[in-house]
C-alpha cells in the first residue's frame, strides 16, 4: 500500500496532503484498469467510489432520447472522475466510458466518507480540492454553453 | 521602380487561383491568391491583409498560409456583409489586396522554448502559418502543442492537415469540441481544459492564443494558473479596421491601435485593459 | 517684433493672393464666424464678437471695429487639410481584371489667416497623426505642404476657452509663418508682427512695417496676458491620463452618458479628431467603383462594429472612449494631449456637456483613492 501512496503522492491532485493523510487514503485505494470501450461508471449506478485517472481518457456521456449517448466532457490523466460520491443520493448522473486503455486509482467511497467525517483535517483538504475541480468544471460548462464559436451573423442557410 | 514606398491605401490586384471550401456549406473558405504582375508582398505569420471586393468593401483577414511559388492563402468566414459577397466569387476573378499589415506571432522569440498554440474556432487560421513555420524549422523548438477547440466535429478546420500533424511524433495535437453527437470519439469540453492537462514547461513556454475574446480570456487564466508568465502569452486581437495604418481610428483599444501596434500583442501589454467592457 | 498699421493687413492679404495663395480667413456667415475666402479686410467680421458657453453661441456687436475680436467658431482648419470627404481611389473591372487608380490629390496653395494659438497646436497634432507614423498620409502631406500660416494672437478669451490649462495659448509661440496681435488703443488700430519662418520673412520683407517700440511691444504682450486671465474654463491636467485610465468604471460615465445624445458634434468641431471611415460604392453594372474616405466619429454606434455587433454598444462606452482618447491615451499614442483647450466641444454640444467639468468630477471622486483607502 505504501507503493500506492507513493504513486498518488505524485499526482497534483494530492499535492499538499500529509504523509499520514496519504497513508490513510492509500488504505482505501486500489488501482483499476479499463480497456477501451469499458464503462467506469453508469448513469444511475451507485456512486460507490471516487476515481483519479492516471493514464488514458474517459468520456462522460448522457443518454438523450432520440439522440442516443451525447458526449459531455472528456477527462484525462490527473482528472478526478465524478463527485456524485460526495453528495446524496450517491448515484452517478452520467455514463463514463474509457476511450482507450485507462488506468485509475479508485477509492472506496463509503470508507472515504467515513474517513472525512472522522478526520476533519483530511475531510477539509479533500473537500477543498474537490471544490476547485467542481468550480473549474462548472466554469468550463458555462463557457461551453456560450457557443463562442458560433457564426456571429447567426446560423447561415 | 521608384524608391517611394507603396501607397498603403491603394490595393493591388490579385487573382483568385483557387477556392477551397473548408467547411461543409462553404461557410469558411480559403483563397489561394497570386498578384497580377509584380512580386508577392510576403507577410509574416500573424499579419493581415485588407481584401477588397470591387464596390462592395474591404475586410481585414489574417494570413492563413504562405502558399508555394509566390501565392498567398487567406481563409475567410462568411459572417455576412462583405464576406457574404466574397463567398460568391470564383477562381479566376480578381480582388484587391493591401498589406501585409500589423505585428507578427513571435516565432523567432519562441525558438528554444516549448510552443503552445491555443486556437478557438476560426482562430486556427491565423495560427496555421505558425504551425507551418515551426514544423519546417522543427529543430529550433522544444515541445510543440496545438490545442484546438471548436464548436462541433463538423466545424473542425483544416481537417486533413490536422490529421497529418497528429500523425507526427514531434507535435502534440489535441482537438476538443463544445458539443458532439454519439459518433464523436474525440475530446469534448472547452479548450482551456486542454491547457490544464499540461505537459509543457510553463516558465519556458511561449503561448500564442487566437480565438473569440472570451475564449482568449479564459485561456489566459488557464495558462497563468499553469504558470506561464503574462509576457510569454501572445494574443491576436480583433477590432473594426478600415485603414490598417493607424489613421482611421476605428481599431483603438485603450492606447493601442490594433492595426499597427497589433493585432498580435504580448498579454502583459493588454492586461490592464483586458477586463474592461466595451473598450 | 514689428508693427503694421490696420491698412497694411489689407496689403498682406493682397500680397499673399498675388503669390498665388487662396487666402482663407474668418468671415461672418449664418450667424457664426466661419472660415471662407477673404479678398481684403472688408471681408473680415469687423466689430463683432462671440459669446460662448456650454451649448451656447451668439454673435454680439462690439463697441469697436476690431477685426479679430472673437475666438473660434464651429469650424477648424482641419477641413482644408483633412477634408470631410475625399476620394481615395477609383477601381474598374475589365477583361484584363481589376484596376485601381489613386484619385488625383488637390493641394491648392492656401494662406490661413487668423489661426489661433490653439489651432496651430491642433495642426501640429494632426501632422503627427497623418505624417509622423510608420505610414504617411500623402494627400494630407501634400495639402499641408501648400499652406501659409498667419496666426492672430487672442486678445480676449471665450467662455469655453481653456488653452492656458493645455499650454497651447493664447499666444502663438511656434508653428506659424507670421503672427499678428491686434491692438486698438487711443484711436489707433495696428498689429504687431512676428516672423516664424523663412517663408514668413520673405512676405514680411515686402510689407511696410516699422520696428516695434517699447509701448507697442508692451501692448502686444498685454493683449495676450489679458486673454490668459479671462479663460472661461480650466482643466487640471496633473496626472490626468493615469486618473482617467484608473477610473474606467467610474459611475460618472453613466451620468454623462444619460445626457449625451451621441450626436457626434463634439468630434466634428474638434480640431484634432481624425477618425474616418471608408465608403465603397459601385455603378449599377458593378464594373466601376469608387472608394471615399469621410469623417467618422467614435460616437457612432457602427464605428466599432465587427461581425455580430458593435464593441461600444452603449453611449457610456462611447463617451468614455472619446474623452479618454483625447485626454489620456493620446499621450501614449503621440506623446501629447489630444486636447488643445479650444472649447468647441463644449460650445457646440447641444446639451452643454463640458469636458473640463467631467474631468473635474472624476478627479473629485477618484475611485482609485477609494479602492486604496477602502
Amino acid at each position: 500500500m505504501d507503493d500506492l501512496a507513493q504513486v498518488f503522492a505524485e499526482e497534483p491532485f494530492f499535492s499538499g496532503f500529509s504523509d499520514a493523510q496519504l497513508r490513510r487514503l492509500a488504505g482505501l485505494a486500489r488501482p483499476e484498469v479499463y480497456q477501451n470501450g469499458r464503462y467506469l461508471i453508469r448513469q444511475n449506478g451507485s456512486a460507490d467510489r471516487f476515481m483519479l485517472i492516471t493514464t488514458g481518457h474517459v468520456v462522460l456521456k448522457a443518454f438523450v432520447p432520440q439522440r442516443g449517448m451525447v458526449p459531455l466532457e472528456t477527462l484525462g490523466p490527473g482528472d478526478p472522475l465524478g463527485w456524485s460520491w460526495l453528495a446524496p443520493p450517491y448515484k452517478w448522473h452520467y455514463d463514463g466510458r474509457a476511450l482507450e486503455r485507462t488506468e485509475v486509482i479508485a477509492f472506496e467511497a463509503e470508507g472515504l466518507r467515513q474517513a472525512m467525517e472522522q478526520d476533519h483535517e483530511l475531510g477539509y483538504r479533500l473537500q477543498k480540492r474537490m471544490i476547485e475541480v467542481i468550480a473549474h468544471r462548472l466554469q468550463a460548462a458555462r463557457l461551453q454553453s456560450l457557443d463562442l464559436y458560433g457564426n456571429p451573423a447567426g446560423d447561415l442557410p | 521602380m521608384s524608391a517611394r514606398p507603396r501607397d498603403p491605401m491603394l490595393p493591388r490586384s490579385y487573382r483568385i487561383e483557387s477556392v477551397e471550401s473548408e467547411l461543409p456549406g462553404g461557410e469558411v473558405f480559403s483563397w489561394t491568391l497570386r498578384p497580377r504582375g509584380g512580386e508577392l508582398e510576403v507577410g509574416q505569420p500573424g499579419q493581415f491583409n485588407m481584401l477588397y471586393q470591387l464596390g462592395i468593401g474591404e475586410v481585414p483577414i489574417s494570413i492563413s498560409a504562405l502558399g508555394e511559388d509566390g501565392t498567398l492563402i487567406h481563409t475567410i468566414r462568411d459572417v455576412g456583409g462583405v464576406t457574404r459577397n466574397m463567398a460568391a466569387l470564383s477562381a479566376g476573378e480578381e480582388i484587391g489586396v493591401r498589406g501585409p499589415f500589423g505585428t507578427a506571432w513571435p516565432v523567432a522569440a519562441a525558438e528554444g522554448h516549448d510552443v503552445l498554440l491555443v486556437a478557438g474556432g476560426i482562430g486556427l487560421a491565423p495560427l496555421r502559418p505558425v504551425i507551418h513555420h515551426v514544423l519546417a524549422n522543427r529543430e529550433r523548438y522544444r515541445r510543440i502543442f496545438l490545442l484546438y477547440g471548436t464548436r462541433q466535429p463538423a466545424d473542425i478546420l483544416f481537417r486533413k492537415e490536422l490529421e497529418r500533424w497528429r500523425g507526427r511524433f514531434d507535435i502534440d495535437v489535441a482537438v476538443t469540441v463544445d458539443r458532439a453527437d454519439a459518433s464523436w470519439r474525440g475530446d469534448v469540453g472547452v479548450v482551456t481544459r486542454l491547457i490544464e492537462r499540461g505537459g509543457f514547461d510553463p516558465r519556458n513556454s511561449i503561448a500564442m492564443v487566437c480565438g473569440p475574446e472570451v475564449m482568449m480570456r479564459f485561456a489566459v487564466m488557464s495558462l497563468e494558473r499553469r504558470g506561464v508568465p503574462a509576457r510569454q502569452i501572445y494574443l491576436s486581437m480583433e477590432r473594426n479596421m478600415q485603414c490598417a495604418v493607424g489613421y482611421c481610428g476605428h481599431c483603438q483599444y485603450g492606447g493601442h491601435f490594433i492595426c499597427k501596434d497589433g493585432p498580435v500583442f504580448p498579454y502583459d501589454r493588454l492586461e490592464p485593459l483586458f477586463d474592461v467592457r466595451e473598450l | 517684433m514689428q508693427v503694421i498699421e490696420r491698412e497694411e493687413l489689407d496689403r498682406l492679404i493682397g500680397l499673399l493672393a498675388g503669390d498665388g495663395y487662396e487666402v482663407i480667413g474668418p468671415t461672418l456667415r449664418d450667424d457664426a464666424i466661419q472660415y471662407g475666402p477673404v479678398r481684403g479686410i472688408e471681408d473680415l467680421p469687423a466689430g463683432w464678437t462671440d459669446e460662448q458657453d456650454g451649448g451656447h453661441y451668439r454673435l454680439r456687436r462690439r463697441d469697436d471695429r476690431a477685426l479679430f475680436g472673437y475666438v473660434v467658431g464651429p469650424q477648424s482648419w482641419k477641413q482644408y487639410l483633412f477634408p470631410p470627404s475625399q476620394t481615395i481611389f477609383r477601381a474598374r473591372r475589365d477583361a484584363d481584371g481589376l484596376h485601381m487608380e489613386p484619385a488625383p490629390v488637390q493641394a491648392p496653395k492656401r494662406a490661413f489667416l487668423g489661426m489661433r494659438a490653439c489651432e496651430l497646436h491642433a495642426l501640429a497634432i494632426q501632422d503627427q497623426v497623418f505624417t509622423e507614423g510608420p505610414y504617411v498620409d500623402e494627400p494630407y502631406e501634400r495639402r499641408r505642404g501648400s499652406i501659409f500660416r498667419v496666426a492672430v494672437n487672442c486678445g480676449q478669451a471665450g467662455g469655453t476657452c481653456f488653452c492656458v490649462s493645455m499650454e497651447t495659448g493664447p499666444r502663438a509661440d511656434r508653428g506659424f509663418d507670421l503672427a499678428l496681435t491686434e491692438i486698438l488703443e487711443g484711436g489707433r488700430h495696428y498689429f504687431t508682427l512676428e516672423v516664424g519662418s523663412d517663408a514668413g520673412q520673405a512676405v514680411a520683407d515686402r510689407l511696410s512695417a516699422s520696428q516695434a517700440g517699447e509701448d507697442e511691444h508692451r501692448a502686444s504682450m498685454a493683449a495676450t496676458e489679458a486673454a490668459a486671465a479671462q479663460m472661461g474654463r480650466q482643466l487640471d491636467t496633473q496626472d490626468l491620463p493615469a486618473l482617467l485610465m484608473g477610473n474606467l468604471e467610474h459611475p460618472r460615465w453613466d451620468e454623462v452618458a444619460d445626457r449625451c445624445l451621441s450626436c457626434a458634434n463634439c468630434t466634428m468641431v474638434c480640431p484634432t479628431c481624425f477618425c474616418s471611415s471608408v465608403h465603397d460604392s459601385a455603378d449599377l453594372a458593378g464594373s466601376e467603383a469608387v472608394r471615399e474616405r469621410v469623417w467618422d466619429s467614435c460616437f457612432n454606434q457602427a464605428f466599432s462594429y465587427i461581425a455580430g455587433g458593435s464593441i461600444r454598444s452603449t453611449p457610456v462606452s462611447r463617451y468614455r472612449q472619446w474623452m479618454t482618447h483625447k485626454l489620456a491615451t493620446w499621450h501614449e499614442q503621440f506623446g501629447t494631449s489630444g486636447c488643445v483647450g479650444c472649447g468647441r466641444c463644449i460650445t457646440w454640444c447641444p446639451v452643454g456637456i463640458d469636458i473640463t467639468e467631467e474631468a473635474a468630477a472624476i478627479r473629485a471622486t477618484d475611485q482609485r483613492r477609494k479602492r486604496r483607502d477602502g
Side-chain angles (χ1 to χ4, degrees):
Chain A
M1 278 306 169
D2 279 353
D3 284 354
L4 194 53
Q6 193 57 43
V7 168
F8 58 74
E10 285 162 18
E11 286 291 331
F13 183 86
F14 288 114
S15 71
F17 282 66
S18 72
D19 287 350
Q21 287 168 335
L22 290 175
R23 270 196 303 277
R24 178 145 198 191
L25 290 172
L28 298 165
R30 64 165 195 271
E32 291 179 356
V33 178
Y34 294 85
Q35 298 303 325
N36 183 5
R38 299 297 301 271
Y39 286 90
L40 289 83
I41 59 175
R42 296 303 296 251
Q43 189 172 328
N44 217 32
S46 172
D48 56 359
R49 55 213 205 291
F50 160 56
M51 284 169 278
L52 186 69
I53 300 168
T54 51
T55 64
H57 285 91
V58 175
V59 60
L60 288 181
K61 294 183 170 201
F63 179 75
V64 180
Q66 277 98 43
R67 286 168 62 193
M69 297 306 296
V70 178
L72 299 171
E73 189 176 26
T74 319
L75 303 173
D79 285 332
L81 171 56
W83 51 71
S84 294
W85 61 275
L86 262 174
Y90 309 122
K91 283 183 185 297
W92 300 120
H93 290 66
Y94 306 108
D95 283 1
R97 193 178 190 187
L99 283 170
E100 58 193 325
R101 186 180 182 277
T102 298
E103 295 178 20
V104 301
I105 303 167
F107 300 85
E108 192 264 302
E110 181 59 35
L112 203 51
R113 289 193 293 261
Q114 278 175 19
M116 290 165 76
E117 277 301 332
Q118 288 158 6
D119 179 352
H120 279 186
E121 277 295 322
L122 175 68
Y124 171 73
R125 196 161 285 283
L126 203 52
Q127 291 251 23
K128 189 174 164 187
R129 197 49 51 88
M130 287 306 294
I131 289 286
E132 283 175 35
V133 171
I134 294 167
H136 280 167
R137 300 261 179 97
L138 180 60
Q139 283 155 3
R142 286 174 176 163
L143 205 49
Q144 251 172 297
S145 72
L146 284 178
D147 192 21
L148 293 176
Y149 309 123
N151 194 309
D155 281 321
L156 297 174
Chain B
M1 288 292 288
S2 81
R4 199 168 56 94
R6 196 186 297 285
D7 179 355
M9 300 298 268
L10 187 68
R12 296 174 64 199
S13 300
Y14 277 61
R15 193 175 295 275
I16 303 171
E17 290 217 324
S18 62
V19 181
E20 186 156 351
S21 176
E22 300 287 2
L23 291 185
E27 179 192 336
V28 177
F29 55 96
S30 291
W31 282 347
T32 300
L33 301 169
R34 185 188 293 280
R36 178 162 54 82
E39 292 278 296
L40 175 78
E41 296 251 7
V42 180
Q44 304 296 313
Q47 289 192 299
F48 65 95
N49 281 301
M50 299 298 294
L51 307 184
Y52 167 75
Q53 185 178 356
L54 181 108
I56 302 294
E58 202 178 39
V59 283
I61 305 285
S62 287
I63 294 166
S64 160
L66 293 163
E68 280 146 32
D69 58 13
T71 61
L72 171 71
I73 297 176
H74 279 290
T75 300
I76 302 162
R77 184 184 205 177
D78 171 359
V79 290
V82 177
T83 53
R84 172 73 44 90
N85 282 278
M86 287 179 162
L89 294 180
S90 330
E93 298 193 67
E94 289 197 351
I95 59 150
V97 177
R98 295 194 290 132
F101 296 114
T103 55
W105 294 109
V107 290
E111 289 181 8
H113 292 75
D114 286 355
V115 179
L116 312 180
L117 306 173
V118 185
I122 187 83
L124 182 59
L127 282 170
R128 186 164 73 143
V130 179
I131 305 167
H132 294 154
H133 179 91
V134 295
L135 290 179
N137 299 276
R138 185 64 192 86
E139 70 288 355
R140 297 188 202 165
Y141 300 91
R142 303 196 334 167
R143 298 194 67 179
I144 299 172
F145 295 81
L146 171 60
L147 312 178
Y148 173 43
T150 193
R151 188 193 207 185
Q152 55 198 8
D155 290 350
I156 294 172
L157 277 180
F158 312 129
R159 190 179 278 265
K160 281 194 202 114
E161 256 184 315
L162 274 169
E163 283 165 4
R164 204 158 61 236
W165 298 329
R166 212 172 189 158
R168 292 176 65 133
F169 295 107
D170 56 358
I171 173 169
D172 287 279
V173 178
V175 178
T176 187
V177 296
D178 281 348
R179 58 170 106 126
D181 63 18
S183 66
W184 172 247
R185 301 271 303 159
D187 279 315
V188 180
V190 288
V191 70
T192 52
R193 301 273 293 129
L194 302 178
I195 297 169
E196 282 152 19
R197 285 184 193 164
F200 47 87
D201 172 6
R203 298 264 139 213
N204 201 9
S205 290
I206 298 287
M208 307 182 205
V209 186
C210 189
E213 210 162 301
V214 178
M215 167 264 171
M216 293 200 289
R217 189 152 60 87
F218 281 86
V220 166
M221 286 197 299
S222 293
L223 288 163
E224 291 197 312
R225 202 154 50 219
R226 271 270 156 193
V228 182
R231 66 177 184 285
Q232 288 165 223
I233 302 170
Y234 291 80
L235 310 183
S236 181
M237 296 293 290
E238 187 188 8
R239 283 294 180 271
N240 182 316
M241 287 199 261
Q242 300 206 359
C243 73
V245 293
Y247 311 151
C248 80
H250 286 262
C251 70
Q252 288 179 82
Y253 181 69
H256 307 300
F257 289 95
I258 300 292
C259 69
K260 65 186 173 105
D261 305 326
V264 176
F265 292 91
Y267 179 65
D268 59 350
R269 291 189 61 203
L270 302 175
E271 199 170 6
L273 306 170
F274 208 56
D275 284 322
V276 181
R277 290 173 196 179
E278 297 207 332
L279 195 63
Chain C
M1 187 181 285
Q2 293 169 289
V3 170
I4 58 170
E5 299 302 321
R6 177 181 180 277
E7 291 64 35
E8 196 62 12
L9 178 63
D10 209 42
R11 270 236 315 141
L12 172 61
I13 294 168
L15 276 177
L16 291 169
D19 287 351
Y21 289 103
E22 179 190 12
V23 181
I24 312 277
T27 62
L28 207 57
R29 198 165 73 236
D30 301 334
D31 295 324
I33 306 289
Q34 302 200 51
Y35 298 129
V38 169
R39 287 150 303 166
I41 55 175
E42 71 283 1
D43 288 337
L44 297 171
W48 287 97
T49 190
D50 50 10
E51 181 185 277
Q52 300 197 31
D53 201 347
H56 178 91
Y57 181 94
R58 295 284 183 280
L59 290 183
R60 298 269 180 251
R61 276 282 175 200
R62 295 176 62 93
D63 53 16
D64 62 22
R65 297 291 294 162
L67 297 171
F68 296 95
Y70 40 83
V71 288
V72 293
Q75 296 175 325
S76 70
W77 301 100
K78 85 173 175 187
Q79 64 184 319
Y80 296 104
L81 303 176
F82 167 42
S85 171
Q86 54 186 310
T87 302
I88 303 177
F89 65 76
R90 290 176 192 283
R92 73 189 152 78
R93 182 173 23 229
D94 60 20
D96 293 339
L98 194 60
H99 308 271
M100 279 143 302
E101 285 294 325
V105 176
Q106 309 291 333
K109 282 179 76 174
R110 280 181 171 139
F112 295 163
L113 171 65
M115 297 185 83
R116 304 298 187 169
C118 59
E119 298 185 306
L120 294 171
H121 281 267
L123 178 64
I125 286 171
Q126 288 222 321
D127 287 351
Q128 272 188 315
V129 173
F130 293 128
T131 63
E132 292 170 28
Y135 296 94
V136 171
D137 181 347
E138 201 186 302
Y140 177 91
E141 190 182 43
R142 287 192 45 203
R143 288 187 288 262
R144 175 69 179 79
S146 306
I147 65 166
F148 186 90
R149 298 153 300 171
V150 183
V152 172
N153 288 320
C154 289
Q156 66 184 68
T160 58
C161 286
F162 56 104
C163 63
V164 168
S165 299
M166 305 316 293
E167 298 176 29
T168 55
R171 195 173 188 92
D173 55 356
R174 62 190 130 90
F176 54 82
D177 296 299
L178 294 175
L180 302 171
T181 310
E182 184 175 31
I183 314 283
L184 287 95
E185 207 174 48
R188 184 177 167 213
H189 192 168
Y190 66 98
F191 294 88
T192 61
L193 172 70
E194 290 158 87
V195 174
S197 71
D198 292 343
Q201 189 65 58
V203 173
D205 287 346
R206 288 184 282 158
L207 288 171
S208 167
S210 58
Q211 207 56 39
E214 204 174 303
D215 286 351
E216 291 158 334
H217 193 276
R218 196 179 306 119
S220 176
M221 300 312 284
T224 46
E225 280 158 22
Q230 269 177 16
M231 290 288 134
R233 295 288 194 279
Q234 56 177 345
L235 177 63
D236 180 358
T237 58
Q238 175 75 35
D239 197 29
L240 191 53
L243 173 78
L244 296 178
M245 295 314 278
N247 281 284
L248 293 174
E249 310 286 359
H250 196 290
R252 183 76 189 188
W253 302 116
D254 295 305
E255 292 165 31
V256 68
D258 279 345
R259 300 167 58 210
C260 175
L261 308 174
S262 287
C263 72
N265 263 16
C266 50
T267 52
M268 298 295 109
V269 297
C270 179
T272 68
C273 272
F274 60 82
C275 288
S276 61
S277 281
V278 292
H279 291 172
D280 292 288
S281 53
D283 66 355
L284 285 175
S287 57
E288 286 188 26
V290 61
R291 158 164 291 194
E292 277 171 317
R293 180 175 163 200
V294 298
W295 285 2
D296 198 357
S297 167
C298 54
F299 282 94
N300 294 332
Q301 183 154 345
F303 187 80
S304 61
Y305 180 86
I306 52 176
S310 287
I311 300 281
R312 297 185 205 107
S313 60
T314 62
V316 181
S317 60
R318 298 198 286 272
Y319 186 83
R320 181 181 69 184
Q321 167 61 26
W322 176 72
M323 187 166 135
T324 54
H325 184 217
K326 236 10 64 171
L327 299 178
T329 55
W330 207 294
H331 286 271
E332 218 175 296
Q333 295 169 347
F334 303 107
T336 69
S337 174
C339 175
V340 296
C342 70
R344 287 182 179 91
C345 59
I346 306 172
T347 299
W348 297 97
C349 175
V351 297
I353 292 173
D354 179 339
I355 190 172
T356 65
E357 188 186 327
E358 295 310 310
I362 286 174
R363 188 181 293 281
T365 50
D366 184 354
Q367 304 281 300
R368 294 174 304 169
R369 197 180 307 137
K370 199 164 110 193
R371 273 206 303 273
R372 272 200 305 272
D373 300 345

